[in-house]
Amino acid sequence: MFSGLNLKNEEKAVFALRALYQKYGYIPYKMSKFEEYDLYVRNKNFLVSDSIITFTDTNGKLMALKPDVTLSIVKNTKDAPGCVQKVYYNENVYRISKSTHEFKEIMQTGLECIGDVDAYDVFEVVSLAVQSLAAISDSYILDLSHIGFVSALLDNVDCSDKTRKDIIKCLSEKNQSAIEKICFENGIEKSIEDKLNVLVSSYGKIGDVLPEIEKICDTDELKEIYEEFSELCGLIVDNGLDSSVRVDFSVANDMNYYSGIVFHGFVEGVPTGVLSGGRYDNLMKKMGRKSGAIGFAVYVDLLERLGMTDKRYDVDAMLIYDSSSSAEEVSRAVNKLREQADSVTAQKSVPENIRYKSLYKLEGKEVKILERND
């Protein structure tokens, strides 16, 4: 009989998330481990890292082990007017690890909603992001933003692309003084600077932040963006999800690819975000698509040590036996020890560097204790 007791945290998460997405009608999507390298070259700014493992295929094409799932799904789906394609995936991607600075195979689970995306679809995806975090941990936060506010403000400013990127970087770092300096050096009018400062300083519960944001929406474009964002926030509140959602405009993904809602998810015990997503209509346009799209990824590999504490022992009971013991006798002894210990290993000798709580020896049919490390 199958039991989930010995599953790793990341494995438990994959099963829970798969069941969650299926409940909402998302269907599994499988893909190849590699794509043509050109796909990633043309969209390198969308990638977490531009370091990619490449190889030459038998037909001479330069291929790459996929560093991203979203690009592959967009490339291999078609526009379906009036419809949305809802898919989820559990795939490995190949990226440089931040901890080891070496290439690593990383497990990633997520979903994509592609097509005639409307307000409900956006809410559903954000709702599933919240529920994904809840399936992983009892303590979690989803930081929610709308990149349209920043885009609308900067579109009315005569400045270079570098200045725009610098402002977005400062916003993501919540660096208000640096934004003020950039605005001064580039002659950006005070009213724009003041609105950017409102965004950079805004963080908190939906009911606390929305009134402050509404005050700076004094153009038709900003009012329209506010209405869209407010409608989503209202649905979040109405569905009882707001206790774990915070409005945070430091969530500012690349505006060349993302548009509208963006969000990051965090769980207690993991120092970095474990979930990231948003609406990426701009990416769709760059790839020649007419559809809208929104989705997110859960970085399952980061859950490996979630909830783990440093254990004093690798195993509770170590059973030593010799070649005179039959398999039946060893099995019977292990089963007996399992009645009083959560984990038991049977060995002919004690392996190096393994920590055991108790050491036993099988002599004939009798199990004798040799050492106890309580």
Side-chain angles (χ1 to χ4, degrees):
M1 180 178 177
F2 172 78
S3 172
L5 292 177
N6 294 321
L7 290 177
K8 297 178 181 179
N9 288 319
E10 59 269 34
E11 293 170 332
K12 292 177 184 178
V14 168
F15 281 111
L17 296 175
R18 183 171 65 186
L20 171 63
Y21 304 152
Q22 288 176 342
K23 283 173 58 178
Y24 282 79
Y26 285 73
I27 60 175
Y29 189 94
K30 294 295 294 181
M31 63 196 78
S32 171
K33 290 184 180 295
F34 41 84
E35 291 277 3
E36 291 186 32
Y37 177 64
D38 184 59
L39 172 66
Y40 304 117
V41 171
R42 286 184 280 109
N43 299 284
K44 63 180 181 179
N45 289 340
F46 186 74
L47 303 175
V48 174
S49 170
D50 58 3
S51 296
I52 301 172
I53 301 174
T54 60
F55 65 95
T56 303
D57 205 348
T58 55
N59 59 9
K61 286 185 178 180
L62 186 60
M63 307 296 288
L65 286 176
K66 65 176 186 290
D68 177 83
V69 174
T70 299
L71 287 170
S72 292
I73 292 178
V74 173
K75 174 179 175 286
N76 293 293
T77 56
K78 296 181 179 179
D79 291 328
C83 299
V84 289
Q85 302 172 70
K86 299 182 178 184
V87 300
Y88 75 89
Y89 58 85
N90 179 38
E91 296 284 340
N92 290 327
V93 295
Y94 304 86
R95 296 176 181 168
I96 292 180
S97 168
K98 291 182 180 179
S99 57
T100 65
H101 304 292
E102 298 174 345
F103 277 106
K104 181 180 179 182
E105 186 177 41
I106 298 171
M107 189 188 305
Q108 193 177 92
T109 294
L111 59 81
E112 308 294 344
C113 181
I114 299 174
D116 188 13
V117 175
D118 61 16
Y120 170 76
D121 296 315
V122 173
F123 164 70
E124 182 180 82
V125 170
V126 173
S127 168
L128 285 169
V130 175
Q131 293 181 67
S132 296
L133 295 172
I136 293 168
S137 172
D138 293 331
S139 182
Y140 59 92
I141 286 292
L142 184 80
D143 285 346
L144 181 69
S145 177
H146 193 305
I147 209 165
F149 289 107
V150 182
S151 180
L153 290 175
L154 296 183
D155 284 347
N156 293 317
V157 173
D158 183 17
C159 63
S160 66
D161 287 341
K162 181 181 182 305
T163 299
R164 288 171 63 95
K165 290 179 180 178
D166 289 343
I167 290 175
I168 294 169
K169 183 174 184 292
C170 292
L171 186 64
S172 67
E173 297 171 349
K174 295 183 181 289
N175 192 337
Q176 185 170 337
S177 60
I179 287 179
E180 292 173 351
K181 180 180 179 182
I182 292 172
C183 289
F184 175 77
E185 291 176 346
N186 290 273
I188 297 174
E189 61 184 85
K190 190 67 167 58
S191 62
I192 299 294
E193 178 188 326
D194 290 342
K195 290 173 183 177
L196 289 171
N197 283 335
V198 169
L199 294 178
V200 80
S201 61
S202 295
Y203 177 82
K205 295 181 179 180
I206 289 172
D208 295 332
V209 176
L210 279 188
E212 298 303 313
I213 299 303
E214 186 176 17
K215 294 176 183 177
I216 69 170
C217 296
D218 54 1
T219 67
D220 290 341
E221 184 179 7
L222 284 171
K223 288 176 181 177
E224 184 177 347
I225 294 167
Y226 176 81
E227 287 301 317
E228 179 188 342
F229 190 59
S230 178
E231 180 183 10
L232 171 62
C233 290
L235 287 168
I236 292 171
V237 172
D238 291 344
N239 284 271
L241 302 173
D242 54 308
S243 62
S244 299
V245 175
R246 298 291 181 268
V247 178
D248 183 0
F249 291 98
S250 69
V251 181
N253 296 351
D254 192 327
M255 289 192 294
N256 289 321
Y257 292 90
Y258 288 93
S259 59
I261 300 299
V262 288
F263 47 88
H264 289 165
F266 303 84
V267 297
E268 187 175 0
V270 180
T272 59
V274 301
L275 181 151
S276 179
R279 186 153 186 174
Y280 53 93
D281 292 7
N282 290 342
L283 171 66
M284 298 291 285
K285 291 177 183 177
K286 285 180 178 291
M287 295 183 68
R289 299 288 298 274
K290 297 178 180 179
S291 299
I294 183 170
F296 62 82
V298 179
Y299 305 114
V300 183
D301 63 300
L302 296 177
L303 308 180
E304 183 178 357
R305 294 192 59 82
L306 181 64
M308 293 177 61
T309 56
D310 290 331
K311 297 174 64 177
R312 292 179 61 192
Y313 308 109
D314 300 306
V315 66
D316 290 326
M318 168 79 68
L319 175 67
I320 302 300
Y321 65 95
D322 58 34
S323 56
S324 65
S325 301
S326 68
E328 182 182 359
E329 289 169 338
V330 176
S331 175
R332 189 181 298 114
V334 168
N335 289 337
K336 184 177 180 180
L337 289 173
R338 285 289 302 274
E339 295 175 359
Q340 61 192 51
D342 290 335
S343 56
V344 180
T345 183
Q347 304 273 1
K348 291 187 177 65
S349 61
V350 179
E352 292 184 10
N353 301 320
I354 189 169
R355 301 168 299 173
Y356 53 81
K357 187 174 183 181
S358 300
L359 179 64
Y360 297 87
K361 185 175 183 180
L362 178 60
E363 295 183 351
K365 296 182 180 181
E366 186 178 356
V367 177
K368 295 184 177 181
I369 186 164
L370 301 181
E371 184 180 347
R372 189 183 300 275
N373 299 312
D374 291 330

